Amino acid sequence: MGPHKKKRKLADGSSKGDEQVREGQKATKTPAEKDQRRSLFVRSLPASVTTERLAEHFSQSFPVKHATVVLDPATKISKGYGFVTFTEADDAHAAAEQLNNTNIDGRKIKVEVAESRHRDTEEGGKKGVNVTAERLRAERDGQKQDSQPPRLIVRNLPWSVKEGDDLAKLFLSY
């Protein structure tokens, strides 16, 4: 298949390819624009805070796209932190400054811009192999093999073999 061109609809009703952009418009986002983070990491949450309460607290000042309080899977109680995603990166940064050290249910919260996880990868990208996970998996598999005795499966035995001693008698001739 040949290269596919995306078309952009212009204000006057016509459409142009992405490569052909009117003067004053940017064709692609700069790396600084792509790097703007829209999610906040909120810590020091009381155990009573729910996802709805967290979203309500942040949506009083800025439009919230999504909010989540991280729960303990066993007890279903808040682990004390959560994430809030905003529609605009500017709103996220402003909310981090404005709502840091505010109170939710009588407890002062800490708000920071969420950083993506830094995983050890060979290629440094998202598609790279997680080196740490591979190393741990190999160690775990090695320990598993060392702890288990070897198995031998013998098929087509006569029905007279009922116990291990019977099997040993059968194989004495070999």
Side-chain angles (χ1 to χ4, degrees), residues 22-56:
R22 283 201 284 184
E23 217 174 296
Q25 291 180 337
K26 293 182 181 178
T28 58
K29 291 185 177 181
T30 62
E33 289 174 334
K34 288 181 182 178
D35 191 43
Q36 290 185 348
R37 308 215 187 277
R38 297 180 298 137
S39 295
L40 297 180
F41 175 66
V42 184
R43 70 172 115 194
S44 299
L45 291 172
S48 62
V49 171
T50 62
T51 297
E52 292 79 21
R53 176 73 179 102
L54 184 65
E56 175 187 320

Side-chain angles (χ1 to χ4, degrees), residues 80-157:
Y81 65 96
F83 297 92
V84 180
T85 304
F86 292 88
T87 55
E88 298 291 328
D90 294 335
D91 291 342
H93 291 284
E97 291 177 16
Q98 181 180 341
L99 298 173
N100 190 23
N101 294 321
T102 58
N103 288 324
I104 294 182
D105 295 347
R107 191 162 182 191
K108 190 180 283 190
I109 60 171
K110 303 289 183 190
V111 181
E112 303 170 357
V113 175
E115 296 292 328
S116 60
R117 285 177 141 179
H118 299 291
R119 295 183 175 157
D120 298 331
T121 58
E122 288 178 359
E123 298 171 13
K126 288 184 178 180
K127 294 181 181 177
V129 176
N130 187 340
V131 177
T132 307
E134 289 295 324
R135 180 178 47 81
L136 291 173
R137 188 175 297 119
E139 286 177 12
R140 192 172 51 243
D141 290 345
Q143 290 173 352
K144 193 176 187 181
Q145 289 176 353
D146 293 343
S147 65
Q148 291 180 346
R151 287 186 174 187
L152 176 64
I153 299 174
V154 181
R155 296 178 189 229
N156 297 327
L157 291 173

